[in-house]
Amino acid sequence: MKLNIFYLLIPAVVFTFNSCEPTVDDFTPSKGNADFSKYVALGNSLTAGYADGALYLSGQENSYPAIIAGQLKSSGFMTTDFKQPLMKDEYGFGGKRIMGLSQDCTGAHSLAPVVDPTAPNPLNFASVAAEGPFQNMGVPGAKVGHLLAPGFGNPANGPGLYNPYFTRFAADIATSSILGDAVAQTPTFFSLWIGNNDVLGYATAGGGNGGNAITPSASFSSYYGMIVGGLVATGAKGVLINIPAVTSTPFFTTVPNNGIQLKPTPEDTIKRNMLNAAYGNGALGISFSIGNNYWVIQDTARPAPYQFRQIKSNEFLLLTLPQDSLKCAGWGTQKPIPHQYVLDTVEVASIMAATAAYNTAIAQLAEANGLALADVNTFMNQIKQNGLMVNGKRFSSTFVTGGIFSLDGIHLSKQGNAIVANYIIDAINAKYGSTIPKVDPNNYPGIVFP
């Protein structure tokens, strides 16, 4: 049975309207009461410049810390170079997504994100520690506790117990921690954006499938407090950046949960009747009608052999859900979508509770230590709801066409990094009385189409 699937890889542009339009500032820069002479950024992939499923050269060059550092340097506030452990090319460790022509199971072709087949350059795996120290201490995959871990880049720890990105630039592979290498530089100002992976790994695995658990909020608060304590002990000021809700990213919002489209035609009427009959004409709590219908998903909490139901309006399907299985293998209609591609209400509640607890801890630490706080969580939710207009261009959280997120649906695009850098600069200026100038995101590269 072939059904009409209401899901496109390249969604239509959604036009949204704001009551105000942020613009790039035009004024005389002032550092206020902060010292930006040596700026160090700590974090994970969002800080490193990871985008499109990979860490690659131009992504790093357009990371939000590099953008902020550029503004500090051009204003005369930063007296040292801002070094990053740069990859040698545009492919990094491999797996980068690009826009390309894709053929589905029906034989139809469309423009969609595909994995670039270019083999990684071995030089990208080689150590660049001799070129350091580095002021961008963003390490893809790092959780909050990892910033404190000595030897986090040591391959001798064994698979899964070290981070190969940190291996490239740790000052001492055997003993270095991310925090230790940052503090050793005696920064006068820092940014800290860590904690996303403490909940994101659970979410992107469809609720911890594979054992990727949410970091307990008490552990998060303790680790985060230790990091902040280590940074401010040197007398540095800084900005803390909180954790955006995963549900504000295209990875969780692109595949509609009501993507089965049945039209009032004789053919679709037959399909509808067949589906309803297969599920006992409502006896199993599943029904289909004319219009958009909810997918059938696996639910292992139900008694066998009826471990399935229709997805709810407040549950999410992951971007990794194979489209060909929806189109040609009967997933979501004749067969339930496997649980690893779904976030159910219980999982969503756990994710949102942890995110809220993390952000409360971050806000309290910012207040207690006199640091700036960039509420990126609220900012991203506002963009999801209303979009954002910047100097005549409209941005949104829509996958591919929205301009803010890269082709992996999680990480920021180069223009997205510029937008977030501006937001962080606003938080810094508000806290320290500085007037760091912002950038025009339209001057940064967007998604490249063939």
Side-chain angles (χ1 to χ4, degrees), residues 251-273:
F251 190 90
F252 300 95
T253 59
T254 298
V255 184
N257 50 25
N258 62 341
I260 305 169
Q261 189 179 75
L262 295 171
K263 299 177 182 178
T265 63
E267 180 183 8
D268 277 10
T269 297
I270 293 172
K271 295 174 185 177
R272 176 171 58 88
N273 291 339

Side-chain angles (χ1 to χ4, degrees), residues 149-180:
F152 185 50
N154 190 356
N157 294 339
L161 299 177
Y162 78 100
N163 187 294
Y165 291 99
F166 191 45
T167 302
R168 295 181 63 247
F169 69 98
D172 185 310
I173 290 178
T175 63
S176 283
S177 70
I178 298 169
L179 176 63

Side-chain angles (χ1 to χ4, degrees), residues 16 21 43 60 83 94 101 121 124 132 168 186 188 272 300 320 357 444:
T16 54
E21 177 179 330
Q60 292 175 285
K83 293 183 181 179
L101 197 61
N121 185 338
N124 285 328
R168 295 181 63 247
T186 318
T188 61
R272 176 171 58 88
T300 55
T320 47
Y444 290 78

